[in-house]
Amino acid sequence: MDNRWLNFESIANARDLGGLKTLEGHTITSGLLLRSANLANASRGDMETLRREYRLSKVIDLRTAAEREERPDASISGVAVRHIPVFSEQLAGISHEKGTDASQLQKLIPKLDGLYRLMVTNESCRRSLGLAAACVMEHDFTSGSVLWHCTEGKDRCGLLTVILLSALCVDRQQIREDYLLTNEVNRPKAEMYYKQVLAAGRPTNEAEMVRDVFLARESYLDAAFSAIDEHYPDMDSFLRDGLYIPEGAIEKFRISVLH
C-alpha cells in the first residue's frame, strides 16, 4: 500500500485510494480519489502537481468555518471547493489547529472513541458525511480527481474515506490498513507533543492522550464500526438510511472509479 503515498513538498498525509481491491474483484483506478491533511501550507509546486499530474478539479474541506478561517487552504486555480463541515462550531475539542503547545492541546483533547461514535450516530454529523460522500460519488471524474481533507487527514477525512471505500465494497481489513497508514507520517509529530507534555511535568497518561490525538488507533475505527453495526443491519443500510446517499449515486460512483 505504500506506493499510494503522494509526494508533496508541504501537504501532509496525502495518498491515493487507487489500487485497492474490492470484494468483487475490481480495482480502484489511480489518480481519482485523493485524501490528505489540510492544504494551508501547499507550495506552488504542490498546487502545480495537483493541477497537472492529478488533474484536480474538486476539493472538499470537512473543517469548521473557524478552522478554515484560522488556516485557510491555498487557492488552486480552476479547482472547485466545497465546504462541508462534519461538526458544528458548538462541538468542542475537534480542531487540531488551535494552539501548538502541550498545555493548550491538553484542554482540547476529545475522547476519540466517543468522537468516532458521534460521527456515525449524530444526525447532523451523519447528514454532513452523507452530503460529502455524495459530493464525491456524483463528481464528474472525466474532469479530473477529487480530494477531501480535514486538519490532520485522520478523523473526519478518515471516516469519509471509510464510507467511500465501503460503498465500493472494499473489505474492512483493507479499510483498516488504509486508515492506519496515517501513523507512518504523524508519529514523529505525536512523539514530539508527548515529550513536550512530559517535559512540562505532566503525568504519563496526559502525555499519551495528547500523543493519541495525532495517531490513528484501531479502537477509534472499531468504535465507529460498532456503532454502525448496532444501528443498521449492514453497511448498505447505513449508506442509504443513515447517510441519506441516493442509491443511484453509489452505482454511478462504482462505474466511474472501478475497473
Side-chain angles (χ1 to χ4, degrees), residues 22-250:
T22 75
L23 290 167
E24 299 171 344
H26 298 293
T27 303
I28 300 176
T29 301
S30 296
L32 297 180
L33 301 172
L34 314 179
R35 55 171 294 177
S36 74
N38 70 83
L39 307 181
N41 295 323
S43 68
R44 289 183 179 275
D46 291 339
M47 291 188 281
E48 191 65 13
T49 297
L50 284 169
R51 282 200 318 113
R52 290 187 177 275
E53 187 172 339
Y54 294 101
R55 297 176 57 240
L56 183 67
S57 59
K58 181 188 291 181
V59 167
I60 300 172
D61 188 340
L62 303 171
R63 299 176 300 167
T64 65
E67 290 176 280
R68 296 196 306 271
E69 183 177 349
E70 186 175 351
R71 297 195 68 193
D73 279 351
S75 179
I76 306 174
S77 175
V79 176
V81 179
R82 286 289 305 274
H83 298 137
I84 307 177
V86 174
F87 297 114
S88 66
E89 301 289 358
Q90 288 72 32
L91 286 170
I94 57 173
S95 170
H96 298 307
E97 296 179 351
K98 296 178 182 177
T100 55
D101 63 65
S103 62
Q104 288 174 301
L105 281 168
Q106 283 170 243
K107 299 175 184 177
L108 297 164
I109 298 172
K111 294 181 179 179
L112 287 168
D113 289 8
L115 190 70
Y116 276 66
R117 285 188 65 89
L118 178 74
M119 284 193 281
V120 298
T121 56
N122 176 271
E123 174 76 9
S124 175
C125 292
R126 284 189 287 108
R127 285 191 177 276
S128 293
L129 283 170
L131 178 61
C135 189
V136 173
M137 293 176 183
E138 295 171 346
H139 178 64
D140 177 9
F141 288 97
T142 63
S143 69
S145 64
V146 59
L147 179 149
W148 57 95
H149 74 83
C150 52
T151 297
E152 293 292 326
K154 176 176 77 80
D155 301 320
R156 291 162 286 184
C157 173
L159 199 49
L160 177 56
T161 303
V162 167
I163 291 164
L164 294 170
L165 291 178
S166 296
L168 293 174
C169 299
V170 174
D171 68 82
R172 284 191 178 181
Q173 182 55 37
Q174 285 192 91
I175 291 174
R176 191 181 303 276
E177 289 171 2
D178 174 78
Y179 172 74
L180 292 173
L181 281 177
T182 287
N183 293 337
E184 292 188 11
V185 294
N186 269 22
R187 195 172 298 281
K189 181 192 297 186
E191 293 300 325
M192 176 190 72
Y193 283 121
Y194 174 78
K195 291 175 182 176
Q196 279 188 14
V197 177
L198 291 179
R202 305 305 301 171
T204 301
N205 68 314
E206 288 189 17
E208 290 172 346
M209 288 174 64
V210 171
R211 178 190 63 198
D212 287 356
V213 166
F214 298 95
L215 295 177
R217 297 291 192 197
E218 288 195 59
S219 63
Y220 307 158
L221 203 55
D222 288 341
F225 280 140
S226 294
I228 292 169
D229 293 342
E230 287 167 16
H231 291 88
Y232 303 90
D234 50 43
M235 185 58 74
D236 284 345
S237 297
F238 174 62
L239 297 174
R240 182 183 64 248
D241 303 327
L243 301 179
Y244 310 104
I245 300 172
E247 196 163 322
I250 296 174

